[in-house]
Amino acid sequence: MTLHETAAPAAASAYQKSVAEYWNQEKNPVNLRLGAVDGFYHHHYGIGEVDWSVLEGPEETREERIVAELHRLECAQADLLVDHLGPLGPGDRVLDSGCGRGGSSFLVHERTGCQVDGISISERQVAFANEQAEQRGVTGKVQFHLKNMLDTGFETGGFQAIWNNESTMYVDLSVLFPEYARLLKRGGRYVTITGCYNNAYGLPSRAVSEINAHYICDIHSRSSYFKEMSANRLVPVSVVDLTRDTIPYWELRARSPLATGIEDAFLTAYKDGSFQYLLIAADLV
Ligand code: SAH
């Protein structure tokens, strides 16, 4: 595979180039050190109860314990997403859209044996993830491509499932979901885990706007997911509000040496009700 396998460049607009640049340069310890725990590199957040005892015990190994605990919570998030992809087996092909360094792709392959294609707009991430596939001996089963999720060039109706793990805030949903309606088999499953702003609060709060500026993204409203899904034959089957489940992760991260500076904005936005962490699963009808 070459990195440039589509005719159109993966980053087709000036905005997309800036997003690609961000992810090409990204080397945060909160991603790299956590991934090094067991080789599953995630760029998403965690869910579940924190084991606060990691902050106690010997000072010299405290950081190591925090890293392992944050990683455990991020893996729990990925596991929950995979639980919602529906029954999959070695005969199925699935798409990890906005795949980062490939953590969720490897997890899905390990759990189901299906063929996984991961796509990212970042050349570096694609190269990293393909190297991982080689090290794991799964090339040909798990493959990563430099592609734009809005215009993948993949064949029509070829995927049993598609997911976005924290990557829909980089694209216009009214352009994204028509592409998924094309790529998915009829009856196929779509899953997203995403932060969204809460329409019941109003428009994006200051803290939500801070998150947008930090990541160069555009967090969508809760309503826009359902509006754009229903306009594109995607019928929700499960909606899970993970907001309360993700707060402990952010509290631990804020108190850890791996904090990146955006922790308070997330905690404020979740706690004042302006921001929600949702899992949405839908079927293509
Ligand atoms: N899903 C991964 C990574 C989330 S970070 C994980 O859970 O670990 C967001 C990802 O979206 C990055 O990999 C970034 O390159 C990708 N991305 C952003 N805009 C994109 C686009 N238009 N097409 C493809 N990937 C995109």
Side-chain angles (χ1 to χ4, degrees):
M1 193 206 73
T2 63
L3 284 181
H4 298 277
E5 54 182 24
T6 47
S13 65
Y15 168 72
Q16 287 168 353
K17 283 189 190 114
S18 77
V19 172
E21 185 61 18
Y22 174 94
W23 289 107
N24 277 332
Q25 295 193 355
E26 191 278 331
K27 286 194 182 109
N28 285 329
V30 78
N31 293 317
L32 292 177
R33 288 206 41 207
L34 270 60
V37 169
D38 59 5
F40 286 92
Y41 287 81
H42 297 307
H43 297 269
H44 58 244
Y45 311 126
I47 53 168
E49 283 308 315
V50 164
D51 174 3
W52 289 103
S53 74
V54 296
L55 296 178
E56 294 151 19
E59 175 93 47
E60 317 84 74
T61 50
R62 184 165 303 153
E63 200 167 311
E64 211 176 294
R65 287 194 301 278
I66 295 172
V67 164
E69 181 63 359
L70 288 170
H71 186 61
R72 184 181 72 79
L73 301 171
E74 291 187 6
C75 289
Q77 189 266 27
D79 262 317
L80 182 75
L81 189 155
V82 182
D83 289 344
H84 285 81
L85 288 175
L88 294 170
D92 293 311
R93 185 179 181 203
V94 300
L95 178 63
D96 182 355
S97 187
C99 63
R101 287 184 169 91
S104 304
S105 296
F106 294 118
L107 179 69
V108 169
H109 178 68
E110 202 170 278
R111 276 183 53 175
T112 68
C114 67
Q115 192 194 323
V116 186
D117 288 284
I119 58 173
S120 168
I121 204 172
S122 155
E123 218 158 333
R124 288 259 172 88
Q125 288 187 328
V126 169
F128 184 99
N130 275 327
E131 211 166 285
Q132 284 260 305
E134 214 163 287
Q135 282 169 19
R136 289 165 176 267
V138 293
T139 27
K141 297 275 185 196
V142 185
Q143 285 178 298
F144 299 92
H145 318 262
L146 181 67
K147 276 184 187 292
N148 191 327
M149 63 174 96
L150 299 177
D151 179 17
T152 62
F154 285 127
E155 71 188 271
T156 298
F159 293 97
Q160 178 57 35
I162 300 177
W163 72 92
N164 282 103
N165 201 345
E166 292 181 15
S167 49
T168 45
M169 59 292 288
Y170 294 99
V171 293
D172 182 337
L173 299 179
S174 70
V175 184
L176 183 69
F177 292 150
E179 176 68 348
Y180 291 173
R182 185 184 75 77
L183 293 173
L184 278 172
K185 289 186 174 157
R186 183 167 282 217
R189 176 63 54 85
Y190 172 65
V191 180
T192 182
I193 294 186
T194 186
C196 60
Y197 78 79
N198 183 2
N199 301 88
Y201 178 96
L203 290 173
S205 63
R206 178 189 290 261
V208 167
S209 303
E210 238 177 88
I211 299 168
N212 278 334
H214 185 88
Y215 289 106
I216 333 172
C217 67
D218 182 17
I219 291 163
H220 307 300
S221 64
R222 172 154 50 105
S223 65
S224 63
Y225 281 92
F226 300 101
K227 176 171 170 254
E228 298 303 342
M229 281 183 184
S230 72
N232 289 287
R233 296 158 48 213
L234 290 163
V235 177
V237 59
S238 317
V239 181
V240 188
D241 185 351
L242 299 169
T243 310
R244 281 164 63 111
D245 292 322
T246 194
I247 288 176
Y249 164 89
W250 285 100
E251 281 172 338
L252 177 61
R253 191 168 142 163
R255 289 173 67 180
S256 85
L258 294 103
T260 60
I262 197 62
E263 288 74 16
D264 284 348
F266 272 88
L267 284 166
T268 302
Y270 284 138
K271 289 179 180 176
D272 71 14
S274 62
F275 191 44
Q276 292 175 294
Y277 196 47
L278 285 197
L279 177 149
I280 307 170
D283 292 325
L284 185 79
V285 299

